[in-house]
């Protein structure tokens, strides 16, 4: 009997093992049949610049032949984003002229780029640029999903020629996850909830809160926090004549009283707003709560929503960190609840580092930034920063960001020796005319900044830094169509005009483009109000027909002033870019002087037989920055970066008062 039982058990075990092996084999067969999605590497052309691609990190495939000198590269190892991506890959040695796959990573802009000759490519030098990139071998990081289609900054991308499609912008993926795209329609689909007035809870006067800790650097920085919540301070402040009860307070008995914040603020504004709040150790928990209350009051007063203002918060200490971006909360009620949950980070007061962080990371499409809304940053500073803010703020202004400063309790006389950068607020704000700066003597008076702050950030007509060198001009091209140019060279000139135009942000409210062609006579090809999109402008340039005739440059300048620049908008910079290949048959001095007196900044580009002395007369002073000469039409393209650089340098050097 025992033998029979053992035999049956053995049979059962044998059958189980057979089934197990069969199941494993079947699973393996099924696994083989399941195909993992294959990553498609986007292809680009040799002339694609890194600055035109929005993605912060991506893998692309370059074609052969990118060693050609017509594909400009700026820098060595770290390249300005104005460079050809594939040309930089060859220069760096990651690729040879046969092409291949590369990994591109965006990095911060540099103060200067040094040119060098490497791997058959001569890179050029550049004083500075807003963004850089490095080129690596195409070895993807483990767990990172790279985009199969790139996102370009213009509606018509150069990817079209390489058979690539564009898609919505994606944030850099977190290792082990797949980045999820966010579209504008998803953002607009959010239901706007009705906001109800709320205030953050205040600590009671008798609460045993922790005292503020001195800022660890520099030595001598103030270490004592005035007890704003003591019964004596509060009572006297409540009873003083003219005291504003716009912020909730408690009297010694604990009774709360409040005037609805923002009740008399009438608003109709659409801005993208980032609050940079001070989370340094020296501020203390009590001051930090007062700061949060101002944010909640601003959120209530602005009536946050997709059709109006949007608001995000970044806290700084040693390093900045985003609490929430522009699309995280799209109504005031949710935003105030999120503000209440913010906790203090501690550390130093590195304001400059925080401004750089916001400039590079905050105002992106992925974070909810809207192209038609001005970018505004309100920086709150307790005392003074522990790093320098001037350079970071300059880059922010050049990026179109309007910086406001709220400074509280500045340095006392015996503390000024420890201030890292004297007059830091004026060095940081958009303009030094007082509009962008608010100062309060004590934290207890911070609530008084609510109404002036809200009114100022919503006064979009006065947000001067929304205008940059690329979106604030009326540019008139005055093109020589004389017989000496010839049909082929005329098309080269039009390509030069196209290359310059591509660098600007084109719309009826941004940069506008017009064109005049001249011989003995003059012809308005199209005015500033004719086309309002970049594709339409580029098509219009392409359609300009060669005229042929003599060369009356003086008459052409007068014609452009009357027919083109007379219709320029008052708030636009007026730029005339004149291209000629010979000496004028008429006098250019009086017309050039008339252009200068009317505030038209004139660039004169001469080719082949153009007279250098005439170019210098036509050009705005200093002539070395506004007149250029090339010996052949085919070399015109080389001057595009320099002309753009000079236009932007001149724009950014304007007085900030």
């Amino acid at each position: 009997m025992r033998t029979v039982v053992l035999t049956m058990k053995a049979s059962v075990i044998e059958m189980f093992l057979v089934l197990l092996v069969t199941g494993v084999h079947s699973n393996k067969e099924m696994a083989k049949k399941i195909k993992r999605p294959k990553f498609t590497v986007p292809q680009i052309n040799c002339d694609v610049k890194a600055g035109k691609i929005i993605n912060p990190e991506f893998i692309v495939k370059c074609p052969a032949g990118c060693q050609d000198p017509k594909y400009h590269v700026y820098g060595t190892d770290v390249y300005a984003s104005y460079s050809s991506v594939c040309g930089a890959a060859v220069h760096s040695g990651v690729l040879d002229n046969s092409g291949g796959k590369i990994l591109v990573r965006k990095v911060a802009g540099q103060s200067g780029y040094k040119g060098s000759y490497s791997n058959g490519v001569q890179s050029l030098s550049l004083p500075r640029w807003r963004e850089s990139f490095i080129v690596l071998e195409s070895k993807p990081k483990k767990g990172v999903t790279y985009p199969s289609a790139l996102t370009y900054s213009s509606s018509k991308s150069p990817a079209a020629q390489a058979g690539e499609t564009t898609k919505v912008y994606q944030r850099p993926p977190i290792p082990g996850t797949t980045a999820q795209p966010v579209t504008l329609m998803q953002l607009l689909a959010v239901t706007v909830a009705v906001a109800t007035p709320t205030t953050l809870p205040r600590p009671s006067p008798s609460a045993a809160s922790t005292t503020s800790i001195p800022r660890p650097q520099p030595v001598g920085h103030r270490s004592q926090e005035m007890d704003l919540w003591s019964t004596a301070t509060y009572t006297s402040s409540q009873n003083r004549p003219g005291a504003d009860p716009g912020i909730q307070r408690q009297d010694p008995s604990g009774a709360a009283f409040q005037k609805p914040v923002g009740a008399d603020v009438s608003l109709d504004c659409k801005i993208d707003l980032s609050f940079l709040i001070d989370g340094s150790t020296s501020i203390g928990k009590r001051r930090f709560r007062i700061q949060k209350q101002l944010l909640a009051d601003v959120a209530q007063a602005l009536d946050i929503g997709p059709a109006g203002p949007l608001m995000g918060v970044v806290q700084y200490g040693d390093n900045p960190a985003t609490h929430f971006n522009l699309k995280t909360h799209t109504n005031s009620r949710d935003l105030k609840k999120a503000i209440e949950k913010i906790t203090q980070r501690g550390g130093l007061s590195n304001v400059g580092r925080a401004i750089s962080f916001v400039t590079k990371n905050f105002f992106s499409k992925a974070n909810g930034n809207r192209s038609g809304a001005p970018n505004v940053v309100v920086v709150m500073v307790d005392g003074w920063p522990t790093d320098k803010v001037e350079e970071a703020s300059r880059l922010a202004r050049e990026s179109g960001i309007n910086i406001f400063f709220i400074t509280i309790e500045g340095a006392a006389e015996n503390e000024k020796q420890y201030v890292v950068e004297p007059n830091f607020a004026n060095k940081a704000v958009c303009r030094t005319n007082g509009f962008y700066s608010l100062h309060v003597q004590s934290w207890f008076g911070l609530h008084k900044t609510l109404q002036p702050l809200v009114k100022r950030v919503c006064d979009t007509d006065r947000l001067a830094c929304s205008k940059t060198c690329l979106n604030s001009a009326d540019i008139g091209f005055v093109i020589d169509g004389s017989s000496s140019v010839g049909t082929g060279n005329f098309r080269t000139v039009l390509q030069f005009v196209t290359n310059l135009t591509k660098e600007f942000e084109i719309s009826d409210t941004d940069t506008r483009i017009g064109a005049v062609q001249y011989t003995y006579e003059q012809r308005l090809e199209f005015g500033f109000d004719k086309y309002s999109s970049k594709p339409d402008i580029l098509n219009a340039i392409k359609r300009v027909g060669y005229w042929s005739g003599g060369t009356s440059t003086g008459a052409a300048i007068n014609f452009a002033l009357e027919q083109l620049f007379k219709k320029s908008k008052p708030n636009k910079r007026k730029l005339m870019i004149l291209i000629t290949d010979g000496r004028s048959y008429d006098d250019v001095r009086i017309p050039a002087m008339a252009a200068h007196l009317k505030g038209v900044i004139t660039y004169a580009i001469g080719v082949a037989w153009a007279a250098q002395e005439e170019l210098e007369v036509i050009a705005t002073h200093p002539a070395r920055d506004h007149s250029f000469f090339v010996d052949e039409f085919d070399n015109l393209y080389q001057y595009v970066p320099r002309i753009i650089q000079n236009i932007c340098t001149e724009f950014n050097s304007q007085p900030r008062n």
Side-chain angles (χ1 to χ4, degrees):
M1 183 68 179
R2 181 177 293 177
T3 303
V4 173
V5 172
L6 291 173
T7 302
M8 291 176 67
K9 287 183 176 179
S11 299
V12 171
I13 292 171
E14 185 177 355
M15 289 175 63
F16 175 75
L17 290 173
V18 169
L19 290 171
L20 182 63
V21 170
T22 304
V24 171
H25 180 72
S26 298
N27 288 338
K28 286 183 177 179
E29 289 300 317
M30 289 177 67
K32 288 179 181 178
K33 292 178 181 179
I34 298 174
K35 293 183 179 180
R36 294 182 179 179
K38 188 177 180 182
F39 167 59
T40 304
V41 178
Q43 295 187 14
I44 61 173
N45 293 331
C46 296
D47 60 351
V48 175
K49 299 171 186 174
K52 294 296 181 183
I53 301 172
I54 293 176
N55 308 77
E57 188 168 333
F58 51 90
I59 294 175
V60 292
K61 185 176 181 181
C62 292
C66 296
Q67 199 177 48
D68 194 305
K70 70 181 180 181
Y71 306 122
H72 292 149
V73 178
Y74 298 87
T76 302
D77 297 329
V78 178
Y79 302 96
S81 63
Y82 195 70
S83 306
S84 156
V85 173
C86 298
V90 176
H91 182 271
S92 67
V94 175
L95 290 183
D96 57 26
N97 201 36
S98 61
K101 298 176 184 177
I102 56 171
L103 173 62
V104 178
R105 183 177 300 150
K106 297 285 188 72
V107 295
Q110 306 290 308
S111 58
Y113 299 85
K114 188 175 181 180
S116 65
Y117 183 81
S118 178
N119 302 305
V121 176
Q122 176 66 57
S123 70
L124 307 173
S125 297
L126 197 65
R128 66 170 182 266
W129 200 250
R130 59 182 175 273
E131 182 185 55
S132 311
F133 69 98
I134 56 175
V135 183
L136 306 167
E137 293 182 3
S138 60
K139 294 179 180 178
K141 293 180 183 177
K142 189 175 181 181
V144 175
T145 302
Y146 292 91
S148 295
L150 302 176
T151 305
Y152 290 84
S153 59
S154 59
S155 58
K156 285 193 177 180
S157 73
Q161 297 175 7
E164 183 205 331
T165 58
T166 59
K167 64 176 184 177
V168 293
Y169 182 81
Q170 293 182 338
R171 293 186 65 181
I174 300 170
T177 65
T178 302
Q180 297 298 320
V182 179
T183 65
L184 179 62
M185 292 306 295
Q186 289 172 323
L187 177 62
L188 294 177
V190 178
T191 302
V192 182
V194 178
T196 55
T198 60
T199 55
L200 300 176
R202 293 285 187 184
S204 73
S206 59
S209 61
T210 56
T211 58
S212 62
I213 303 170
R215 186 173 290 167
Q217 183 183 345
V219 177
H221 195 72
R222 72 172 185 278
S223 60
Q224 298 298 318
E225 176 184 1
M226 181 179 70
D227 191 353
L228 300 179
W229 302 100
S230 67
T231 303
T233 303
Y234 230 51
T235 304
S236 62
S237 298
Q238 302 274 22
N239 295 333
R240 75 180 186 276
D244 185 351
I247 185 171
Q248 179 177 328
R249 310 184 183 95
Q250 291 180 324
D251 64 16
S253 66
F257 51 96
Q258 177 193 20
K259 180 180 82 174
V261 292
D264 54 351
V265 178
S266 177
L267 294 174
D268 179 20
C269 83
K270 180 180 179 181
I271 58 170
D272 288 342
L273 171 63
S274 172
F275 259 95
L276 248 176
I277 62 172
D278 191 340
S280 58
T281 305
S282 68
I283 195 175
K285 291 187 177 180
R286 293 169 177 168
R287 288 176 176 139
F288 192 74
R289 291 203 64 79
I290 301 173
Q291 187 175 214
K292 284 169 50 176
Q293 181 64 52
L294 178 66
L295 265 64
D297 293 346
V298 170
Q300 179 67 38
L302 285 177
D303 190 18
I304 299 299
L310 293 177
M311 176 173 154
V313 175
V314 174
Q315 182 182 169
Y316 67 88
D318 288 335
N319 294 296
T322 302
H323 284 286
F324 38 85
N325 59 37
L326 296 167
K327 65 182 177 64
T328 308
H329 304 290
T330 54
N331 62 71
S332 297
R333 181 174 58 190
D334 292 345
L335 182 57
K336 290 192 292 182
K337 288 179 181 178
I339 291 169
E340 184 174 350
K341 295 176 182 177
I342 295 175
T343 57
Q344 187 179 0
R345 294 173 59 85
L348 299 177
S349 184
N350 289 331
V351 178
R353 184 177 296 177
I355 293 172
S356 293
F357 173 83
V358 169
T359 302
K360 295 170 187 174
N361 301 293
F362 189 85
F363 293 106
S364 67
K365 290 182 181 178
N367 288 337
N369 187 52
R370 300 164 294 179
S371 59
N375 295 336
V376 179
V377 172
V378 177
V379 185
M380 302 184 68
V381 183
D382 171 47
W384 60 88
T386 52
D387 66 348
K388 292 187 177 182
V389 303
E390 185 172 17
E391 180 63 13
S393 301
R394 180 186 63 79
L395 293 173
R397 291 193 299 270
E398 291 177 8
S399 300
I401 298 174
N402 297 274
I403 299 180
F404 288 77
F405 257 58
I406 300 177
T407 52
I408 309 103
E409 298 182 10
E413 196 61 40
N414 62 339
E415 295 173 323
K416 289 182 179 178
Q417 59 182 315
Y418 304 112
V419 176
V420 175
E421 191 175 30
N423 200 26
F424 63 87
N426 269 348
K427 293 177 181 177
V429 293
C430 175
R431 295 288 184 269
T432 57
N433 55 11
F435 181 76
Y436 295 87
S437 302
L438 291 164
H439 177 75
V440 290
Q441 295 296 329
S442 75
W443 280 89
F444 188 68
L446 184 61
H447 66 282
K448 293 184 177 181
T449 64
L450 172 62
Q451 290 194 16
L453 176 65
V454 167
K455 288 179 179 177
R456 292 182 192 187
V457 298
C458 285
D459 189 353
T460 54
D461 289 337
R462 294 190 65 181
L463 296 181
C465 285
S466 297
K467 297 301 179 184
T468 70
C469 59
L470 301 178
N471 70 6
S472 60
D474 278 345
I475 302 176
F477 288 96
V478 180
I479 306 167
D480 184 348
S482 60
S483 303
S484 58
V485 174
T487 304
N489 288 334
F490 188 77
R491 305 317 301 176
T492 303
V493 171
L494 293 183
Q495 185 59 52
F496 171 70
V497 172
T498 296
N499 292 343
L500 281 171
T501 301
K502 284 180 179 178
E503 298 301 319
F504 293 90
E505 299 171 27
I506 308 294
S507 79
D508 55 353
T509 57
D510 294 314
T511 291
R512 304 187 304 168
I513 304 292
V516 167
Q517 184 182 174
Y518 74 95
T519 57
Y520 283 127
E521 300 176 282
Q522 307 84 35
R523 182 169 72 196
L524 179 66
E525 300 293 352
F526 51 89
F528 294 134
D529 55 356
K530 181 72 172 178
Y531 304 106
S532 58
S533 72
K534 187 175 291 187
D536 288 345
I537 287 289
L538 297 181
N539 285 331
I541 294 169
K542 194 181 298 184
R543 291 194 301 267
V544 172
Y546 176 50
W547 204 358
S548 186
T551 309
S552 295
T553 305
I557 295 173
N558 281 331
F559 181 85
L561 293 177
E562 282 297 315
Q563 301 299 320
L564 204 55
F565 289 100
K566 198 170 185 179
K567 299 175 183 178
S568 181
K569 291 184 178 179
N571 62 339
K572 298 285 188 181
R573 294 176 74 226
K574 301 175 183 64
L575 301 179
M576 181 191 296
I577 300 177
L578 185 145
I579 308 110
T580 182
D581 81 325
R583 185 181 293 274
S584 177
Y585 293 168
D586 62 354
D587 181 60
V588 299
R589 295 179 182 276
I590 294 175
M593 187 179 296
H596 301 161
L597 291 174
K598 291 180 179 180
V600 178
I601 301 167
T602 307
Y603 287 81
I605 295 96
V607 189
W609 301 280
Q612 184 69 42
E613 67 274 15
E614 275 190 357
L615 298 177
E616 293 178 356
V617 168
I618 295 168
T620 296
H621 180 79
R624 66 177 181 275
D625 295 331
H626 298 86
S627 67
F628 306 93
F629 179 83
V630 293
D631 52 358
E632 295 180 6
F633 284 93
D634 288 342
N635 292 330
L636 273 171
Y637 74 92
Q638 297 179 2
Y639 284 86
V640 172
R642 187 174 169 189
I643 292 169
I644 296 296
Q645 175 89 14
N646 287 8
I647 288 172
C648 287
T649 299
E650 187 170 45
F651 178 88
N652 296 325
S653 63
Q654 295 176 104
R656 292 194 300 114
N657 50 26

